């Protein structure tokens, strides 16, 4: 029996997702990329098989199978189609504000339709003038009786126009910096809230990325998440738990590209033998496989930490390291996969070209990899390692 760290239950669910991904999603991946159309059929497939439920606790109607398995599901789907893997990752991203800071009433009101996938979620933090520096946002929310009135805009929001529920961050006290930010649940169809445009982009072509505008948009005060002023903390807590979803997407892309390049290298012959037997190509395959396995180690460790109830303060660095390593691996590994296929790697008939374009975004969104490095170093500086200096004058 091969060594296997997952339990029988985890293996069963992983294999179910793997089979659905290979048999139903993979044949659609090139078309989704080509058409730039949001794959509602994939959403329907996930709904039918209860895949969205993997992201939620049993008390809210989910499977309660934990974070590790949710990450594995994103990885498995992303091996064949990064746009489809992102549907799961963003369902988690857009739901986490409610899970972490929602009241029992808010959870009961909003979570069931997210668990079934009937409603898709989105997370709206970035603005045209504030990406990495999210505290510089300009969108405001003013209390007016039983409502808040939102004004401003958000840029680059995944699931724009397809989501039914948006976690939106806005300033309730514009003079107060980080502590003036609050978090809200905004439903599509709210008057004064519109999707102004969708962006054409390099990769993840079937995913929508759009600009949201709020022009006197009125939402019930009961849609405030946590207290006024808690929004920045909520945004960061969400990102600590959601970034590994992007890491899982990156790892899936990297492993998918490695698997494809391996099979290609086995059969493509030059100078009388398969290219896999030329040492320079064999070395690339070995490096790609090793990067994927190292990335998986960091990612699964994060999943286990959450499932074992690790403290929030421990998650920040583990999450940033998983995101950084898995997504840098995705870019490096897919670039090498294209190289292994030679000229064929560069043309659209072969999937590694799409995988390389899809990989790039994983280094950018949910905090660029430069920001991940800052986060990791900041957490390191909080740690005491003085014992290493013991004995030095
Ligand atoms: C396809 C797509 C989907 C997205 N989905 C979402 C979404 O669903 N929700 C959402 O809120 N946002 C989303 N984003 C936004 C994304 O998270 C931001 O684009 C990203 O955080 C970077 O912000 P920015 O584009 O403003 O770049 P900037 O912050 O302007 O950064 C530009 C460059 O400077 C670097 N940099 C910035 N500050 C520092 C620093 N202090 N030290 C070192 N380097 C630094 C950055 O790493 C980057 O290389 C999405 C973006 C894209 C392209």
């Amino acid at each position: 029996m091969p060594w296997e760290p997952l339990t029988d239950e985890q293996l069963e669910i992983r294999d179910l997702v793997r089979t659905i991904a290979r048999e139903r999603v993979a044949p659609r991946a090139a078309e989704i990329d080509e058409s730039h159309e949001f794959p509602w059929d994939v959403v329907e497939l996930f709904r039918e098989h209860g895949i969205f439920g993997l992201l939620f606790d049993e008390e809210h109607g989910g499977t309660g199978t934990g974070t590790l398995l949710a990450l594995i599901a994103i990885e498995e789907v992303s091996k064949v189609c990064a746009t489809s893997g992102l549907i799961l990752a963003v369902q988690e991203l857009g739901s986490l504000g409610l899970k972490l800071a929602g009241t029992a009433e808010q959870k009961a009101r909003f979570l069931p339709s997210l668990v079934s996938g009937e409603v898709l979620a989105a997370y709206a933090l970035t603005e045209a003038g504030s990406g990495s520096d999210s505290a510089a946002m300009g969108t405001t929310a003013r209390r007016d009786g039983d409502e808040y009135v939102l004004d401003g805009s958000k840029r680059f929001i995944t699931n724009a126009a397809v989501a039914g529920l948006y976690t939106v961050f806005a300033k309730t006290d514009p003079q107060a910096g980080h502590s003036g930010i609050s978090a809200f649940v905004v439903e599509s169809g709210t008057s004064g809230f519109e999707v102004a445009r969708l962006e054409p982009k390099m990769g993840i072509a079937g995913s929508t990325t759009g600009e949201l505008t709020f022009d006197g948009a009125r939402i019930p005060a009961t849609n405030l998440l946590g207290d006024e002023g808690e929004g920045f903390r909520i945004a960061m807590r969400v990102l600590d738990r959601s970034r590994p979803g992007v890491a899982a997407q990156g790892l899936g892309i990297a492993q998918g590209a490695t698997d494809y390049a391996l099979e290609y290298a086995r059969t493509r012959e030059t100078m009388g033998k398969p290219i896999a037997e030329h040492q320079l190509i064999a070395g690339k395959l070995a490096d790609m496989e090793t990067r994927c396995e190292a990335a998986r180690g960091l990612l699964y460790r994060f999943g286990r930490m959450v499932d074992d109830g690790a403290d929030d303060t421990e998650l920040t660095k583990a999450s940033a390291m998983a995101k950084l390593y898995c997504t840098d691996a995705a870019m490096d590994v897919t670039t090498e996969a294209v190289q292994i296929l030679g000229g064929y790697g560069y043309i659209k008939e072969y999937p590694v070209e799409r995988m390389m374009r899809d990989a790039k975004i994983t280094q950018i969104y949910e905090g660029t990899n430069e920001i991940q490095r800052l986060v990791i170093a900041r957490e390191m500086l909080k740690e005491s390692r003085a014992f290493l200096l013991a004995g030095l004058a």
Side-chain angles (χ1 to χ4, degrees):
M1 284 263 285
W3 180 77
E4 180 52 69
L6 302 181
T7 64
D8 286 349
E9 190 202 13
Q10 287 171 327
L11 277 178
E12 198 179 312
I13 298 175
R14 183 201 66 186
D15 290 347
L16 170 77
V17 177
R18 184 175 280 179
T19 303
I20 292 169
R22 289 184 180 177
E23 292 180 1
R24 307 285 301 276
V25 181
R28 285 278 289 124
E31 283 166 7
I32 292 168
D33 180 57
E34 191 84 3
S35 69
H36 290 230
E37 278 172 18
F38 183 77
W40 281 110
D41 58 322
V42 173
V43 173
E44 196 48 51
L45 188 66
F46 290 164
R47 286 173 178 157
E48 274 170 26
H49 290 86
I51 308 284
F52 290 109
L54 292 173
L55 310 172
F56 297 88
D57 288 341
E58 262 175 310
E59 63 169 308
H60 302 120
T63 57
T65 42
T67 298
L68 174 61
L69 203 57
L71 295 172
I72 289 173
I74 297 169
E75 177 193 349
E76 288 299 327
V77 176
S78 300
K79 279 183 188 171
V80 301
C81 177
T83 289
S84 300
L86 186 60
I87 292 171
L88 296 177
V90 176
Q91 192 73 346
E92 171 74 349
L93 171 68
S95 306
L96 269 166
L98 274 162
K99 289 190 201 173
L100 296 174
T103 61
E105 183 279 323
Q106 288 170 330
K107 287 177 183 170
R109 189 152 45 111
F110 294 118
L111 285 183
S113 58
L114 297 173
V115 176
S116 65
E118 182 196 330
V119 170
L120 296 182
Y123 174 89
L125 181 66
T126 304
E127 300 187 1
S130 67
S132 304
D133 186 9
S134 50
M137 70 176 63
T139 299
T140 57
R142 176 175 54 82
R143 179 88 191 225
D144 183 21
D146 290 344
E147 295 176 321
Y148 281 95
V149 185
L150 269 63
D151 285 286
S153 65
K154 295 283 168 185
R155 189 101 195 253
F156 297 152
I157 306 309
T158 302
N159 276 0
V162 299
L165 191 145
Y166 297 74
T167 304
V168 177
F169 298 87
K171 286 199 165 159
T172 38
D173 183 352
Q175 315 310 326
H178 294 92
S179 45
I181 296 171
S182 301
F184 301 91
V185 175
V186 179
E187 292 179 86
S188 58
T190 299
S191 148
F193 164 43
E194 278 177 14
V195 176
R197 66 170 182 158
L198 297 179
E199 316 275 359
K201 23 182 217 304
M202 178 192 289
I204 52 162
S207 173
T208 63
T209 309
E211 182 177 351
L212 315 181
T213 57
F214 302 93
D215 184 9
R218 287 182 172 271
I219 58 163
T222 50
N223 285 16
L224 173 72
L225 287 174
D227 290 330
E228 272 193 24
E230 268 189 355
F232 190 76
R233 197 169 154 264
I234 294 170
M236 296 303 118
R237 285 186 70 208
V238 167
L239 289 174
D240 276 350
R241 286 168 187 266
S242 69
R243 279 174 177 150
V246 175
Q249 186 193 26
L251 172 58
I253 298 170
Q255 190 67 65
T258 303
D259 295 352
Y260 195 88
L262 175 67
E263 289 315 302
Y264 186 87
R266 235 196 262 276
T267 52
R268 174 74 174 174
E269 293 196 4
T270 68
M271 287 111 190
K273 57 182 176 182
I275 59 170
E277 289 178 24
H278 295 303
Q279 287 185 352
L280 291 175
I281 297 297
K284 285 185 195 301
L285 289 168
D287 286 347
M288 291 158 73
E289 183 85 333
T290 306
R291 286 296 295 274
C292 288
E293 208 53 56
R296 188 168 291 110
L298 279 173
L299 182 68
Y300 288 16
R301 171 176 174 264
F302 176 87
R304 291 205 174 91
M305 283 174 78
V306 177
D307 292 342
D308 289 350
D311 195 74
D312 264 18
T313 53
E314 282 187 78
L315 298 183
T316 304
K317 185 172 149 208
S319 154
M321 290 197 301
K323 199 274 183 181
L324 172 64
Y325 197 86
C326 290
T327 62
D328 278 356
M331 197 66 242
D332 294 348
V333 165
T334 54
T335 305
E336 287 294 62
V338 168
Q339 194 69 20
I340 289 175
L341 267 73
Y344 295 95
Y346 199 70
I347 62 170
K348 286 187 180 285
E349 195 182 333
Y350 292 81
V352 290
E353 176 269 348
R354 163 171 50 82
M355 291 169 170
M356 184 175 153
R357 284 185 286 108
D358 286 345
K360 185 62 212 171
I361 189 59
T362 65
Q363 295 180 301
I364 296 172
Y365 55 21
E366 291 195 39
T368 65
N369 283 4
E370 288 76 21
I371 296 301
Q372 303 313 312
R373 287 182 169 88
L374 293 184
V375 169
I376 295 163
R378 193 187 62 209
E379 293 301 310
M380 288 170 71
L381 288 167
K382 290 181 193 164
E383 295 164 9
S384 169
R385 303 190 184 175
F387 68 91
L388 291 175
L389 303 176
L392 293 182

